[in-house]
Amino acid sequence: MHKHERRSVWELSLLAIVGFFAILAIAVVGLRVHQREALRNTASIVRSDTRPPAWTHMHVVDMKGHSLRARDLRTHTINGQIPEAGAFDTIHPHGVPELVYYMNVDGRLYALTQRRQTVWNVAPHLMLLLIIVYWGLYVLLMLLWRVRSKHLRAEIQSIARNFQQIRRNEPTQQLLLTPHSRLYPIAQAAQDLAQQLTTTRQDAQMRRARFDRLMQNLPQGVMLIDDARNVQITNAAMAQMLGKSIQPVVHPYVDDIKDYHLTKMVEKALLKGKVQRRELDLSETERSVEASVVPIGVGNNRSQVLIILYDLTYLRSVERMQTDFVANVSHELKTPITAISGFAETLLGGAKDDPAVLTQFLQIIAKEAARLTQLVNDIITLQRGGTDRHLETISVRQAVEQALQNVAGTIKKRQLHVETIVPRELHVRVDAPRLTQVLHNLIDNAVFYNRDGGAITVSTLREENQLAIIVRDTGIGIPAAEQARIFERFYRVDKARSRNNGGTGLGLAIVADAVNDLNGKIQLTSQPGRGSTFTVTIPVAFTEPLQ
Ligand code: ADP
């Protein structure tokens, strides 16, 4: 039995006892009033010689007589207070209490006495029955109460179990309560609550998943820091920008952010509660970012800050490339223009009168003008990039031969041995101008950076839906350290030599752009003094040769 149940039992028992004695007291008082009334009524009909029936236990006592009761009554009134007619008194002859009523009979004082009536001597059987019924009822009620409270306890326990299951997010059991049960509305409410909570939890989970997905796919680096300077939320972009993996548990933000300027911005935002914004080069990853640190108030003077990093690295590098390009173009254009104007001025200054010098200077001017044209053409090609596509079916062998034809003069002059291993029937559907550009530039370089009497081999390899074009030369080769850079715009390994060849430093940059436009790859293997091999692999559609 539970403590509170035990207390209830005690309280009910106490109530039953109090009730029992209250009934008893009412009965006793009632009997007393009744006995007094009976004595008074009897007294009105009593004469001096009246003998009441024995069963009434009444006695008519002459106050001046010699009976035991008369003596008792007289002793009882010793203190000089002589009883008066109509008054009540109590005596105890033989130790038995008797009620006395004083009366006047024929001018003399008499007393009418009767054994004091109690519930026991008036109706002992009735009394016994009353006690049995009363306490029997009490026991019965207690038993019923016990059974009921046990049942109630079981119901409460199962509802409590349901609430615990709801709290632990476990499936709840269907409660077997009748609609008449006092707890039925609570059980019903628990079921409704469980259902509502499940929906709310699912909704929250869905929102959380959506939020996580959004955060993880945001291109901006995001980090939420609380007032204890701990990381609450962060995302993959932030880890990438900081160049380290960020623990998914709550931890101090300084574990992740080591950049002095960014830390200063966070501290300032936390301290002053003002938005901080500036462009930074992160010390860890050397990335250029636009950092915003936004304080977010969450009440009670507690504040959080949100760091948002926009990666500007690509933008800045494009800007830098553009600036470099413009600087390079200006520089490259300046050289032939200076030469042209220099020689023209010298000629105008009088040198034109010497036919030999005139011819020599005009040749130089013509060569520099050609270089200028080549430069401008290359720049235009680069700038135009992959804007328009010209898909057409071409013969690869013809395209190679055309490229070789363009440099036939130099090939002949330098006595180069050329070998073309390209099947005649090889036809592909491809962006032809781009492919032609690639072939021209690679073959040009294979000719110009070759040694006299060297060899050039142009071959192709056909794979499933890919075509590899291999241009091999036996020229000067490219040192390993330079190989990664030669595709940059205006980059030249040997500047003087390249210029002599009329090179602009843009040929391979154009090749790289074109291969990129063709969705292909370019590979280089080279050994200084032995030669170079450029392999371009592009996805193409092979077609039957056109009739
Ligand atoms: P350029 O107009 O100067 O030839 P490119 O972009 O075509 O410019 O080439 C860049 C540099 O790469 C050249 O200056 C040269 O030093 C080197 N290079 C290119 N192709 C070859 C090759 N086949 N053999 C050796 N060096 C080469």
Side-chain angles (χ1 to χ4, degrees), residues 127-200:
M127 194 57 206
L128 204 67
L129 192 70
L130 190 82
I131 291 172
I132 291 169
V133 168
Y134 185 90
W135 289 110
L137 265 175
Y138 166 76
V139 171
L140 199 72
L141 282 173
M142 283 309 279
L143 282 174
L144 272 175
W145 179 82
R146 277 294 312 271
V147 170
R148 202 167 157 64
S149 68
K150 215 168 160 181
H151 186 65
L152 203 66
R153 196 166 60 229
E155 285 181 348
I156 290 173
Q157 273 169 353
S158 58
I159 291 176
R161 221 176 9 254
N162 258 16
F163 276 118
Q164 276 166 2
Q165 281 163 339
I166 292 171
R167 189 170 57 79
R168 289 196 296 261
N169 198 17
E170 289 168 3
T172 52
Q173 290 159 5
Q174 189 68 38
L175 288 180
L176 299 171
L177 295 189
T178 59
H180 308 293
S181 166
R182 277 193 287 166
L183 299 176
Y184 186 77
I186 300 176
Q188 198 66 41
Q191 289 291 336
D192 291 350
L193 185 71
Q195 255 166 27
Q196 207 176 332
L197 224 69
T198 311
T199 323
T200 313

Side-chain angles (χ1 to χ4, degrees), residues 229 264-276 295 303 305:
R229 289 164 172 72
K264 212 168 128 193
M265 284 172 75
V266 173
E267 290 305 320
K268 227 171 171 181
L270 275 170
L271 211 72
K272 297 190 174 169
K274 282 196 183 138
V275 179
Q276 308 290 316
S303 64
V305 294

Side-chain angles (χ1 to χ4, degrees), residues 445 449 473 477-478 486 491-493 498 503-505 507-508 532 534:
N445 284 349
Y449 299 104
D473 65 67
I478 304 159
I486 55 165
Y491 191 81
R492 300 180 181 103
V493 177
S498 167
T504 58
L508 286 182
S532 313
F534 288 87

Side-chain angles (χ1 to χ4, degrees), residues 38 109 121 185 188 216 229 274 309 325 337 342 357 368 381 384 389 395 400 411 441 492-493 539:
L109 191 64
N121 54 32
Q188 198 66 41
Q216 294 317 318
R229 289 164 172 72
K274 282 196 183 138
L309 300 184
F325 184 68
I337 290 171
V357 174
E368 289 303 321
T381 311
R384 210 173 40 221
R389 294 201 184 282
S395 153
V400 172
I411 290 174
N441 290 0
R492 300 180 181 103
V493 177

Side-chain angles (χ1 to χ4, degrees), residues 378 441-442 445-450 473 475-478 486-488 490-495 498-499 502-510 526 531-532 534:
D378 279 359
N441 290 0
L442 289 182
N445 284 349
V447 172
F448 292 129
Y449 299 104
N450 221 321
D473 65 67
I476 57 171
I478 304 159
I486 55 165
F487 295 98
E488 289 175 19
F490 298 109
Y491 191 81
R492 300 180 181 103
V493 177
D494 182 344
K495 299 191 173 44
S498 167
R499 235 169 243 155
T504 58
L506 292 174
L508 286 182
I510 293 171
S526 183
S532 313
F534 288 87

